[in-house]
Amino acid sequence: MKNNLKLAPSTSVKTKLSTTLKSWLPILQSSNDELIEMLTEMTQDNPYASVQTNLIKDFSSQSQYTKTTRKSSKQAEGFESFCLYEDGLFEVLLDQIAPPLFPTPRSQEIAQLIIEDLNEEGYFDGDLEEIASRCGCEVSEVDKIRKRFAYLEPCGIGAIDVVEALEFQLDQSELDGSAYDLAKLILQDLHNHFHHKSHAEYPRVMQVLKGFKNPPAIDYLAKEQYIKPDLFVSFENGEIEVRLNHEMSPSIKIDSNIQAQIPKSAEEQFIKTKVKEARTLVDALEMRKATLQKIGLMIVEYQYDFFNGGEIKPMKLKDLADEFGHAPSTISRAISNKYLECDRGIFSIKSFFSTALDDDVSNSAIKDFVNDLVKNEDRKKPLSDSKILELIEAKFGIKIVRRTITKYRQKLNIASSSERKKLYEMSF
């Protein structure tokens, strides 16, 4: 089938494309649940457009769907209680981004970007400089706002490492006076906490410290989440197939036969405007579907061996960004919270992208290896970064510098060997 679209410099075509693209980016970047809520809000004042899914057919009159579902989940029983939505860490934190802790639009924007860069354990592993650049402010301002997370729940969230997370929790604990001062000293030198045994407050302080959460988001890690895949990859008659999860994807229904309650003289223009808005959303949704399908096809092309039982190969996010003509950061946000299901399980789409260290070795493969090493290390003699480097070079036959190992360890929220030894001794 030939493509009959012409690339003539038509103003009307450019305007339409620009309007669709403005809708397309936030729609692409949303998960299916977020998309339903977003579309509901966008069509709230449009009598000719209704949001439909296979789960709930008409959201046009249910702008409070998500909020009422969340509220009613506590009263629900049996199967309904199991199926209803429950707030995740992301939603819990977003609800707290408000005055007085975050009094200005800019402080709220920075706080939201910080939340986007929290890993599943609740630690901040983003780039302060990148956030500062995006918000047009100093790095010190971003870090100052990050430290306000010490007052959010769950306490300890937003810290850069274990020790800071414990300090955040200490500041919100019941300890004060000499007990607080002792706890502060212990956290600064966990390895030698027993040196303070003679202190009258030592038993009480240690009891409180051992009650702190590590990692700070542990309560949310413990909850098994139902993940709705956006893409399915399967083998049909010996051929690999990529298809969208249409059951979870909402759509827009347009009905121009509805009689709007407006003056007759303005009715024609009103209908024209509202139907055009609805069609723009339809176009944006189609672009979202086409983009997700294309992303799935690219993943299968690059990672074909993985779907046949092999390892994930190096795949750069920049390659995907270049394909769509957007910045890598835009594409990164677009594939966040989106999942792919295949016969090997359900995987986040982001997990297929990594920076190559070598032609055949990916960043993610090294991280997985580091993680396994630390999980199985001798707790009396934790592995140093230098030792981990030796083991990696022996395993993969590559040459990298020690600071790269330190960087990976920090990204994985693994404390240094000396800090791990302290934590092992305290049995956190």
Side-chain angles (χ1 to χ4, degrees), residues 43-285:
T43 58
Q44 191 172 13
D45 299 324
N46 192 334
Y48 306 107
S50 58
V51 183
Q52 298 194 329
T53 71
N54 287 334
L55 299 177
I56 298 179
K57 290 297 181 184
D58 189 347
F59 282 78
S60 59
S61 61
Q62 301 182 41
S63 60
Q64 297 302 314
Y65 164 73
T66 302
K67 292 180 182 177
T68 55
T69 302
R70 292 176 189 174
K71 288 178 183 177
S72 64
S73 64
K74 291 182 181 178
Q75 287 78 33
E77 295 180 356
F79 184 72
E80 287 93 350
S81 177
F82 175 77
C83 292
L84 290 178
Y85 181 89
E86 185 175 359
D87 280 352
L89 177 62
F90 191 78
E91 289 82 6
V92 167
L93 291 174
L94 280 182
D95 286 344
Q96 299 177 69
I97 305 304
L101 268 182
F102 308 98
T104 65
R106 185 160 80 169
S107 67
Q108 292 168 15
E109 179 189 5
I110 292 172
Q112 289 171 11
L113 291 174
I114 289 171
I115 290 175
E116 289 180 10
D117 281 338
L118 297 180
N119 63 25
E120 62 179 7
E121 293 185 328
Y123 293 108
F124 175 76
D125 63 359
D127 189 329
L128 294 175
E129 290 184 2
E130 182 182 346
I131 294 176
S133 176
R134 287 175 62 185
C135 298
C137 63
E138 297 294 325
V139 173
S140 57
E141 182 180 353
V142 177
D143 200 42
K144 183 179 178 182
I145 290 173
R146 181 190 66 80
K147 288 178 178 176
R148 293 181 198 170
F149 278 51
Y151 302 97
L152 302 184
E153 289 293 337
C155 196
I157 213 79
I160 57 174
D161 56 28
V162 173
V163 173
E164 188 179 40
L166 298 177
E167 288 178 343
F168 280 5
Q169 293 175 71
L170 173 61
D171 288 340
Q172 301 305 309
S173 73
E174 62 187 31
L175 298 178
D176 56 11
S178 62
Y180 175 88
D181 294 338
L182 174 61
K184 196 78 173 177
L185 280 174
I186 289 175
L187 290 182
Q188 289 170 1
D189 189 13
L190 284 171
H191 180 61
N192 295 311
H193 66 88
F194 51 86
H195 289 170
H196 303 280
K197 280 187 175 180
S198 59
H199 197 291
E201 295 284 3
Y202 178 81
R204 177 185 169 215
V205 166
M206 291 304 296
Q207 187 64 34
V208 171
L209 291 182
K210 289 182 178 181
F212 288 170
K213 293 176 180 177
N214 178 43
I218 191 169
D219 289 343
Y220 293 86
L221 283 173
K223 296 175 183 177
E224 186 175 347
Q225 298 178 342
Y226 172 63
I227 296 174
K228 306 167 193 173
D230 299 85
L231 291 167
F232 295 107
V233 174
S234 59
F235 284 91
E236 299 290 339
N237 300 320
E239 292 187 359
I240 197 163
E241 180 187 6
V242 179
R243 57 189 174 86
L244 295 170
N245 186 353
H246 293 290
E247 291 186 0
M248 293 298 177
S249 183
S251 60
I252 298 289
K253 180 183 178 182
I254 301 175
D255 187 354
S256 57
N257 294 320
I258 296 175
Q259 295 298 315
Q261 309 245 340
I262 55 173
K264 206 73 173 165
S265 58
E267 185 175 355
E268 185 177 344
Q269 182 58 42
F270 178 84
I271 293 175
K272 186 177 179 181
T273 300
K274 292 300 179 182
V275 170
K276 182 180 178 181
E277 289 175 0
R279 284 176 179 159
T280 297
L281 287 181
V282 170
D283 290 342
L285 281 174

Side-chain angles (χ1 to χ4, degrees), residues 309-355:
E311 298 295 325
I312 291 180
K313 290 185 177 180
M315 185 176 180
K316 296 180 181 178
L317 193 58
K318 186 177 183 300
D319 295 335
L320 191 62
D322 290 343
E323 185 72 24
F324 291 103
H326 290 285
S329 58
T330 300
I331 298 299
S332 177
R333 291 193 296 274
I335 62 177
S336 291
N337 302 316
K338 293 184 177 61
Y339 297 86
L340 177 153
E341 182 175 346
C342 63
D343 59 3
R344 297 187 66 177
I346 297 178
F347 301 86
S348 69
I349 290 179
K350 231 175 182 179
S351 67
F352 290 97
F353 296 88
S354 58
T355 304

